[in-house]
Amino acid sequence: MSLATERRDAALRRLGAERFDLLVIGGGATGTGTALDAASRGLKVALVERADLSEGTSSRSTKLVHGGVRYLEQAVKHADRSQFSLVREALRERAVLLRNAPHLATALPLLTPIYGALELPYYFTGLKLYDMLAGRANLAPSRLIGRDEAKDRFPMLRREGLRGAVEYHDGQFDDARMNVALALTAAEHGAVVANHVEVTGLLKRSGRLAGAVVEDRLRASAPIHIEARAVVNATGPFADAVRHLDDPDAPAMLKTSSGVHVVLPQRFSPPGTGLLIPKTEDGRVLFLLPWLGHTLVGTTDNPAPVEAHPAAAAEDVEYILRHVRKYFDLPVSTEDVLSAWSGLRPLVEAEQANGIKSTARLSRDHVITVSPSGLVTATGGKWTTYRSMAEDAVDAAVEVGELRPARGSLTHDLPLVGGARFDPFGDARLVAEYRLEPDVARHLNRAYGDRAGLVAGLAREGWGDRLVAGHPYIEAEVVYGRDAELACTADDVLARRLRLSFLDSEASESARPRVEALLATPLQAHGGGSCGS
């Protein structure tokens, strides 16, 4: 029996044999954030995810840690104080995320190109207000720049009619790896984390929620009954499906919209500057960002059905490319698209949330509800505010389950796995000590932070070959992913531990046979956990 199987079996046995203070359903940002918040308070926590960590919405974001420039515009237009509060709160959380995961999140300057004389004071004033709302958490002052500097910074910008640009700053991050870091940090604080484990029913005693029935989706086995004093439903777009397990007649809370992104080659963006296209033909905004050596462009916002693996529609891809052509002198076509994907956003219908017969409150840009049986549902929100959302969810669960945490929430100042001793110049040490190629060393340092040496050590032991030419991913990462990062399948590795599927779908498929072979070989102990910890 392999080490991965032993670890997974041990995790599943614990799920069925122990009684937990809190069971979290869902392994996206909200779920892993909730598990970490609860475990770091000293509660006994289990988390189950029917697919892989962040397989859905939480791996399909625009990769920005932000307060929400478009929300600010809405706040100004409608004089909506609540929207101002949402932006201010998100900007504060932006600073927390950048501080606690410095290897995975960094500040990024963005330019808003100006082509109309009246646009200049409008956007500059708005972005200075953005700075003001951030207060001491502001990353850098927004400023006006001239046409020549704008072209120097973003050479592919269309020159005709360009008057200049406004520069502002937000954060950028690797969403799926951040999600993995949250899960691993929760496990290090004692949480049992099991991916590819699906909730098929809820347990009740005298009408009160008492846990859940789950099944292993990787191997045929008997259902497992998990006993828990409180249950949090953190399943994003699927929150209503879990709510209907609790009460088939519960009114739907959510509508979903799809956010499509495309990935283009690096030549479409300079390495250190992003672009905000402030107004599309239908009044949206688009971002064009450097990301992991490529260019990320998105996103759309169309009504969409709830499904596990939404596809990027051809018309949405063309919509994005059409706006790139509008702002760029550099030609772009579908042949330039290396990858495209769609993510679902859970949008809460406030009147439905308030109509639930339970304690329901709208806080920040998310909703926490408690059903009559005690099911805590946390939904809405965005990546930037995952931590405050998780804190609210745990507060609600503590009240519902009459739990007694040893301490209050610690996550405001809690470094995530890889972040505590991160050295931004650590790639030089990796090159010198492990003889890695510079691009591989840079990638490992940013992806794994202060644990990059563990992966580099595996490379030195014989797993140092690249998985595919032209990309910095190496075999050691597959070994480390299966041993220490809960990766069970080739898709777990290629899409969410390495991000290759999101960057270059053709390269990802060419690497798949080698990844599958590495996952099948005997495992070694490198800490963490594999497919459940």
PDB file of all heavy atoms in Angstrom, residues 456-467:
ATOM      1  N   ALA A 456      12.981  21.576  -4.343  1.00  0.00           N
ATOM      2  CA  ALA A 456      14.298  21.573  -4.980  1.00  0.00           C
ATOM      3  C   ALA A 456      15.117  20.364  -4.546  1.00  0.00           C
ATOM      4  O   ALA A 456      15.878  19.793  -5.346  1.00  0.00           O
ATOM      5  CB  ALA A 456      15.042  22.860  -4.637  1.00  0.00           C
ATOM      6  N   GLY A 457      14.953  19.946  -3.303  1.00  0.00           N
ATOM      7  CA  GLY A 457      15.648  18.749  -2.829  1.00  0.00           C
ATOM      8  C   GLY A 457      15.212  17.508  -3.580  1.00  0.00           C
ATOM      9  O   GLY A 457      16.031  16.637  -3.900  1.00  0.00           O
ATOM     10  N   LEU A 458      13.918  17.418  -3.884  1.00  0.00           N
ATOM     11  CA  LEU A 458      13.422  16.293  -4.684  1.00  0.00           C
ATOM     12  C   LEU A 458      13.999  16.337  -6.095  1.00  0.00           C
ATOM     13  O   LEU A 458      14.328  15.294  -6.682  1.00  0.00           O
ATOM     14  CB  LEU A 458      11.897  16.333  -4.749  1.00  0.00           C
ATOM     15  CG  LEU A 458      11.155  16.023  -3.444  1.00  0.00           C
ATOM     16  CD1 LEU A 458       9.667  16.322  -3.609  1.00  0.00           C
ATOM     17  CD2 LEU A 458      11.362  14.575  -3.038  1.00  0.00           C
ATOM     18  N   ALA A 459      14.134  17.544  -6.639  1.00  0.00           N
ATOM     19  CA  ALA A 459      14.739  17.674  -7.967  1.00  0.00           C
ATOM     20  C   ALA A 459      16.169  17.150  -7.949  1.00  0.00           C
ATOM     21  O   ALA A 459      16.609  16.467  -8.881  1.00  0.00           O
ATOM     22  CB  ALA A 459      14.707  19.134  -8.410  1.00  0.00           C
ATOM     23  N   ARG A 460      16.888  17.440  -6.882  1.00  0.00           N
ATOM     24  CA  ARG A 460      18.266  16.976  -6.773  1.00  0.00           C
ATOM     25  C   ARG A 460      18.336  15.460  -6.611  1.00  0.00           C
ATOM     26  O   ARG A 460      19.324  14.825  -6.993  1.00  0.00           O
ATOM     27  CB  ARG A 460      18.950  17.667  -5.594  1.00  0.00           C
ATOM     28  CG  ARG A 460      20.439  17.408  -5.497  1.00  0.00           C
ATOM     29  CD  ARG A 460      21.109  18.404  -4.583  1.00  0.00           C
ATOM     30  NE  ARG A 460      20.548  18.419  -3.238  1.00  0.00           N
ATOM     31  CZ  ARG A 460      20.897  19.298  -2.287  1.00  0.00           C
ATOM     32  NH1 ARG A 460      21.794  20.244  -2.562  1.00  0.00           N
ATOM     33  NH2 ARG A 460      20.341  19.253  -1.100  1.00  0.00           N
ATOM     34  N   GLU A 461      17.262  14.861  -6.072  1.00  0.00           N
ATOM     35  CA  GLU A 461      17.231  13.408  -5.886  1.00  0.00           C
ATOM     36  C   GLU A 461      16.922  12.661  -7.179  1.00  0.00           C
ATOM     37  O   GLU A 461      16.961  11.433  -7.207  1.00  0.00           O
ATOM     38  CB  GLU A 461      16.185  13.034  -4.831  1.00  0.00           C
ATOM     39  CG  GLU A 461      16.560  13.462  -3.417  1.00  0.00           C
ATOM     40  CD  GLU A 461      15.439  13.172  -2.426  1.00  0.00           C
ATOM     41  OE1 GLU A 461      14.551  12.343  -2.756  1.00  0.00           O
ATOM     42  OE2 GLU A 461      15.434  13.774  -1.341  1.00  0.00           O
ATOM     43  N   GLY A 462      16.585  13.389  -8.232  1.00  0.00           N
ATOM     44  CA  GLY A 462      16.357  12.709  -9.505  1.00  0.00           C
ATOM     45  C   GLY A 462      15.099  13.099 -10.234  1.00  0.00           C
ATOM     46  O   GLY A 462      14.827  12.602 -11.331  1.00  0.00           O
ATOM     47  N   TRP A 463      14.305  14.001  -9.650  1.00  0.00           N
ATOM     48  CA  TRP A 463      13.067  14.442 -10.291  1.00  0.00           C
ATOM     49  C   TRP A 463      13.202  15.890 -10.768  1.00  0.00           C
ATOM     50  O   TRP A 463      12.327  16.725 -10.522  1.00  0.00           O
ATOM     51  CB  TRP A 463      11.883  14.314  -9.330  1.00  0.00           C
ATOM     52  CG  TRP A 463      11.463  12.901  -9.091  1.00  0.00           C
ATOM     53  CD1 TRP A 463      10.956  12.033  -9.998  1.00  0.00           C
ATOM     54  CD2 TRP A 463      11.517  12.191  -7.851  1.00  0.00           C
ATOM     55  NE1 TRP A 463      10.672  10.825  -9.406  1.00  0.00           N
ATOM     56  CE2 TRP A 463      11.016  10.889  -8.079  1.00  0.00           C
ATOM     57  CE3 TRP A 463      11.932  12.506  -6.557  1.00  0.00           C
ATOM     58  CZ2 TRP A 463      10.920   9.917  -7.090  1.00  0.00           C
ATOM     59  CZ3 TRP A 463      11.855  11.557  -5.566  1.00  0.00           C
ATOM     60  CH2 TRP A 463      11.348  10.277  -5.832  1.00  0.00           C
ATOM     61  N   GLY A 464      14.260  16.195 -11.448  1.00  0.00           N
ATOM     62  CA  GLY A 464      14.526  17.561 -11.868  1.00  0.00           C
ATOM     63  C   GLY A 464      14.162  17.882 -13.297  1.00  0.00           C
ATOM     64  O   GLY A 464      14.292  19.036 -13.724  1.00  0.00           O
ATOM     65  N   ASP A 465      13.702  16.906 -14.076  1.00  0.00           N
ATOM     66  CA  ASP A 465      13.369  17.165 -15.476  1.00  0.00           C
ATOM     67  C   ASP A 465      12.104  18.016 -15.591  1.00  0.00           C
ATOM     68  O   ASP A 465      11.177  17.901 -14.778  1.00  0.00           O
ATOM     69  CB  ASP A 465      13.146  15.851 -16.231  1.00  0.00           C
ATOM     70  CG  ASP A 465      14.442  15.090 -16.450  1.00  0.00           C
ATOM     71  OD1 ASP A 465      15.531  15.680 -16.266  1.00  0.00           O
ATOM     72  OD2 ASP A 465      14.350  13.889 -16.789  1.00  0.00           O
ATOM     73  N   ARG A 466      12.071  18.842 -16.633  1.00  0.00           N
ATOM     74  CA  ARG A 466      10.855  19.607 -16.923  1.00  0.00           C
ATOM     75  C   ARG A 466       9.756  18.665 -17.417  1.00  0.00           C
ATOM     76  O   ARG A 466      10.029  17.688 -18.117  1.00  0.00           O
ATOM     77  CB  ARG A 466      11.126  20.668 -17.978  1.00  0.00           C
ATOM     78  CG  ARG A 466      12.070  21.778 -17.520  1.00  0.00           C
ATOM     79  CD  ARG A 466      12.322  22.765 -18.640  1.00  0.00           C
ATOM     80  NE  ARG A 466      13.363  23.698 -18.280  1.00  0.00           N
ATOM     81  CZ  ARG A 466      13.169  24.982 -17.943  1.00  0.00           C
ATOM     82  NH1 ARG A 466      11.934  25.471 -17.940  1.00  0.00           N
ATOM     83  NH2 ARG A 466      14.178  25.763 -17.618  1.00  0.00           N
ATOM     84  N   LEU A 467       8.532  19.003 -17.077  1.00  0.00           N
ATOM     85  CA  LEU A 467       7.403  18.207 -17.554  1.00  0.00           C
ATOM     86  C   LEU A 467       7.106  18.490 -19.020  1.00  0.00           C
ATOM     87  O   LEU A 467       6.620  17.620 -19.737  1.00  0.00           O
ATOM     88  CB  LEU A 467       6.168  18.500 -16.703  1.00  0.00           C
ATOM     89  CG  LEU A 467       6.221  17.995 -15.260  1.00  0.00           C
ATOM     90  CD1 LEU A 467       5.060  18.568 -14.466  1.00  0.00           C
ATOM     91  CD2 LEU A 467       6.197  16.476 -15.222  1.00  0.00           C
TER      92      LEU A 467
END
